[in-house]
Structure formats: C-alpha cells, structure tokens
Amino acid sequence: MTNLYDIDAHADWIYGTMDDIRDCVQLGRSGSAQFICQGGRNYLVAIPTAFPDWTLVGIIRADEVDGPMRSVQQSTIIALGALCIFAVIIVVLALGMESQLRLRREEAERLNLEREKMQSDRLLQSMSRIVDRYSIINLDTDRYRYRELRNSEPLYPASGRYSKMVETISERYVALTETENAKLSRLLTPEYLRSVLRRPDDNLKIEYCSRTENAYMVLTVIPVEWHADGTVYEVMQVVQDIGQKIELENMANTDSMTGLFNERYFSRVLNICEEKKLPFVLYYLDLDRFKPINDTYGHLMGDRLLKEIAARLLRCIRSRDYAFRIGGDEFALIVSADMDEGQRARMAERIQTTLSAPVVLDGKELSVGVSCGCACYPEDGSASQVRIAADSRMYETKQRHHENDRTEGES
C-alpha cells in the first residue's frame, strides 16, 4: 500500500469504511474504522485539528491501540501540539510579512500621491498661463466640477448640475460659427458631445463671445472617461480668452474708415462658403457720380459720405450676411441665402433705393447713384466665377448709367 487512497484494494473492513472517514474529514469531526490487511488488524483514524479545514488522518495497528493506548494518545497529542506550534509560527511569520508589505505599500502610495500632487500643481500652474477656466463634466449624472484660474470671482458655482450651467452659458454667450442655427444650448448637450467625441483623440472647439461685453473665448471639449461600449461619459471643457486675437483679426479684416469688412476678408468668406457648400448671393456695387462730389467738396466730405453709405448698406442686410468695402467707392454684399431671380431683383432694387436717397452733410444735399451686379453660388459656378460674373454685370450696369447720363446731358 503506497497511499491511503489505495487502502480499499488491500483491506477487509471489520467496521466502517473509507467513505465514512471521508465524511468525517468533510464534516470536521473525529472518527475511526477497523480493517484487516495482510493478516493484521488496524485502525483508520481521523482527528480534526485546531485549524479550520485541517484533519489528521492515519493508520494505527490494533495491538498498539488496545495495549499502550495512553502512550499512543500522548504521542498523538504531542504530534498535534507540535503541529499547532509550527502552524502558529507560520501564521505569525506570515502576519509579520503581510504587515511589512502593507507598510511598504502604504509608503509607496503616499509617495505616489505626493508625486501626483506635485505634477498636478505644476500642471495647474502651466494651465493657468494659457487657460482661464476648466470644468470636468459627468454626462451620465448631469454634474460638473468647475475651477477658475484667472478671475478672482468665479463665473459659475464650483459644482452643480451641468444642464443649469449650459443654460447660464447660453444666456450670456453666443457661438461664433459659419453655419446657421448653431447655438451653444445645442452644441453643449450630452447627446451632441457623445455624437462628435467618438475616439480618445477627438475634440470639439467652439469660439463664442459675450452678448453684452467685448469678450471672446474658445471652448475646447476633450473626452476623459469611456463606458465599456465606447461611449464617452466624462469630458473636460477648457476655456481660453482669445479677445486679443479677435481684436487683432478684426483690425486685419476691417476697413479702418467705414468699419465694414475689407477685401482681404471678402476673399476668405468666399472660400469658406465654397468649402462648406453654403449657397449665397453676391452683389457688387459701385457708386455713380461720387468723383464729382469728392472733387467739389474735398476728400473729407467724400469720406463722410462713404461712411453714411456703409451705414445704409448694413441696414440692407441681416446679422448673418456680410458687407465689404472693396476699395475706393466699390462695395460688395454676401447674402447667405438661396434666392430665386425675383428675390434677387427685389434685393437689388432695395439696395439702389436705399443708397441713392439724398444725404445731407453740413447743410449740403448730396446724391449718388449705384451700379449693381449680382451672381449666385452655386448656380453661376465656383466662388471665383461668381465673383467675376457679379463684377461683369455691375460693369454692364455702370455703362448703361453712363450712357443714360450722357443722353440726359445732351437733351
């Protein structure tokens, strides 16, 4: 017999079986069975120990049990005692090692926290140079945490409901976009953010300005945490003040005398509309009889007249349209709409009527005419082709006006 598991193959059981001993082991109680093996009578004994799930199982010859039972019991007790002492030593050593490992882990965590805090402080110091404020938003719970880095007075509470924050932003600011009906109240909703932030390297940038102050900002939304299905649920919103940048751009894009956009920005808007496939109508305008006024009353009076013409042009268009001074007494309008021929003609008539009305400056009544030509995108081709067509039609109109003026003069 090489193992207790082989006992059934060699034993004739007198009482009890190997299965009975297995039951004792599983139930954690003592028990015995007697069997004959190779002519000798033996006991199979199971004795539970002081440790859970540990049982001492052994074979004892019957003559040693029936004779010196006490010595066997003492030997068993000594063996169990030694086993218990050994187990206690093992447990104490294990607890000691665990305590040391725990202290080491706690020290490592403390050092990591200190390093993370130092890194976080350095990050915040760096961010404060380029970032004015930022927020961490949980799109699932509709909660945000806000940190102000520039102003002494925070613009929003330090934490609260994200939907309330969006409502406040929408009341104070308006988005600066090339597309119509792009509102902050829609661009900042959880649904829209989830639709555009699909990958870790995605981001959303929104330029916006104050409704009441000369303040311009850019908001960058960055995904931070994701669900298992790849849906973003936590984002960071970083805000930077670009007021100086906008002011410089306005200076570069604006005609200094009239306040209208200049020819440089005119080319840029045409390219943007073409890139985004946005339909528009272009009106080219040239003032008639402006040079005689300039020659008669001087350039100062001519400049004041151009400013009045610019103000009237702005009254002819909507806030999402554009008015430009191309140079001298030439102007252009970009109307962001897909207009039919009748609508274009009525718009041209309105422009001519508005600009041709007499202007009174220093008691002098001045009057100019307007030559107007229009073309539409994409009906008349690319943006450059539309520009050429509008200019050509404006020139044809101006030629007719010259001929009419000459005929009237001869008559």
Side-chain angles (χ1 to χ4, degrees):
M1 185 171 60
T2 59
N3 193 290
L4 286 179
Y5 292 108
D6 301 333
I7 195 169
D8 279 328
H10 303 276
D12 294 325
W13 296 96
I14 299 174
Y15 72 84
T17 64
M18 186 64 178
D19 291 335
D20 295 332
I21 298 302
R22 287 196 184 97
D23 292 340
C24 291
V25 172
Q26 292 177 356
L27 297 174
R29 65 189 184 191
S30 60
S32 65
Q34 193 176 117
F35 64 95
I36 296 175
C37 181
Q38 296 180 348
R41 195 161 54 87
N42 303 275
Y43 287 102
L44 180 62
V45 181
I47 303 175
T49 67
F51 299 95
D53 301 325
W54 285 82
T55 300
L56 182 65
V57 180
I59 297 176
I60 306 174
R61 294 184 181 276
D63 53 357
E64 294 179 0
V65 175
D66 296 338
M69 178 65 74
R70 187 177 299 277
S71 61
V72 172
Q73 291 176 342
Q74 291 176 350
S75 299
T76 303
I77 292 172
I78 292 172
L80 290 174
L83 180 62
C84 291
I85 292 172
F86 179 72
V88 169
I89 293 173
I90 294 296
V91 170
V92 170
L93 291 176
L95 291 175
M97 293 178 63
E98 176 64 24
S99 178
Q100 291 181 358
L101 290 174
R102 185 175 64 253
L103 291 175
R104 290 177 183 174
R105 285 196 299 268
E106 290 175 353
E107 180 66 15
E109 290 177 358
R110 185 183 66 80
L111 293 175
N112 285 334
L113 288 175
E114 289 183 356
R115 282 194 294 268
E116 290 177 0
K117 185 177 183 301
M118 292 176 61
Q119 292 174 353
S120 177
D121 291 342
R122 285 197 295 267
L123 176 62
L124 287 176
Q125 290 174 1
S126 301
M127 288 178 63
S128 64
R129 299 188 184 102
I130 58 174
V131 174
D132 295 312
R133 60 196 63 89
Y134 70 90
S135 303
I136 303 294
I137 295 101
N138 190 308
L139 302 178
D140 290 348
T141 61
D142 191 37
R143 305 293 297 179
Y144 74 87
R145 302 190 307 277
Y146 165 79
R147 178 74 179 270
E148 177 68 46
L149 301 177
R150 185 63 59 87
N151 298 328
S152 58
E153 292 294 330
L155 300 180
Y156 315 103
S159 62
R161 289 176 52 210
Y162 176 59
S163 55
K164 181 64 176 177
M165 184 183 192
V166 171
E167 182 181 336
T168 303
I169 293 174
S170 302
E171 292 174 352
R172 295 179 180 176
Y173 304 99
V174 60
L176 300 173
T177 63
E178 300 294 342
T179 56
E180 194 173 346
N181 297 326
K183 298 181 180 179
L184 287 172
S185 57
R186 185 183 71 86
L187 297 175
L188 296 179
T189 59
E191 295 76 15
Y192 184 76
L193 294 180
R194 290 191 180 101
S195 69
V196 297
L197 302 177
R198 298 179 178 274
R199 296 174 300 179
D201 57 347
D202 286 339
N203 65 78
L204 173 64
K205 285 190 176 181
I206 305 171
E207 292 189 8
Y208 63 99
C209 66
S210 173
R211 293 181 182 272
T212 58
E213 303 171 3
N214 187 25
Y216 296 86
M217 278 78 67
V218 59
L219 170 67
T220 304
V221 187
I222 306 168
V224 178
E225 295 290 345
W226 307 77
H227 287 303
D229 61 358
T231 305
V232 64
Y233 72 88
E234 188 169 270
V235 299
M236 173 184 279
Q237 294 184 354
V238 178
V239 178
Q240 297 168 279
D241 185 357
I242 57 171
Q244 187 175 9
K245 172 189 171 185
I246 294 294
E247 184 177 351
L248 292 174
E249 286 187 354
N250 287 339
M251 291 175 62
N253 297 331
T254 304
D255 175 61
S256 58
M257 186 179 68
T258 62
L260 301 181
F261 292 120
N262 57 21
E263 199 275 340
R264 171 182 175 273
Y265 193 61
F266 175 53
S267 300
R268 180 184 173 189
V269 172
L270 287 176
N271 292 333
I272 291 173
C273 291
E274 185 173 26
E275 287 175 3
K276 298 191 176 184
K277 308 299 181 186
L278 301 175
F280 64 88
V281 179
L282 171 61
Y283 290 90
Y284 249 116
L285 310 172
D286 188 89
L287 300 184
D288 299 332
R289 303 185 301 276
F290 176 74
K291 188 175 183 302
I293 294 175
N294 229 8
D295 295 340
T296 303
Y297 299 105
H299 292 286
L300 182 59
M301 185 69 76
D303 291 347
R304 293 174 62 187
L305 178 59
L306 290 176
K307 292 179 182 179
E308 174 61 25
I309 294 297
R312 293 184 179 186
L313 271 178
L314 291 175
R315 292 198 291 269
C316 292
I317 60 175
R318 302 162 300 181
S319 60
R320 62 173 178 266
D321 301 328
Y322 301 87
F324 308 87
R325 183 190 180 205
I326 304 301
D329 58 352
E330 293 185 9
F331 298 86
L333 297 178
I334 292 180
V335 180
S336 303
D338 189 6
M339 303 166 65
D340 58 32
E341 186 175 354
Q343 291 173 321
R344 296 196 297 267
R346 286 192 293 274
M347 180 70 178
E349 184 179 355
R350 178 187 176 192
I351 294 171
Q352 291 175 332
T353 302
T354 302
L355 301 189
S356 299
V359 179
V360 178
L361 297 175
D362 294 338
K364 301 177 180 66
E365 185 176 288
L366 308 177
S367 179
V368 294
V370 180
S371 296
C372 178
C374 76
C376 11
Y377 174 85
E379 181 179 329
D380 289 315
S382 65
S384 59
Q385 291 172 330
V386 167
R387 183 172 184 175
I388 293 171
D391 185 52
S392 176
R393 292 166 186 171
M394 181 270 294
Y395 182 76
E396 292 173 0
T397 304
K398 195 168 190 67
Q399 289 294 104
R400 289 197 301 270
H401 288 176
H402 279 317
E403 292 175 2
N404 293 336
D405 291 342
R406 187 164 51 249
T407 304
E408 289 177 3
E410 292 175 353
S411 62

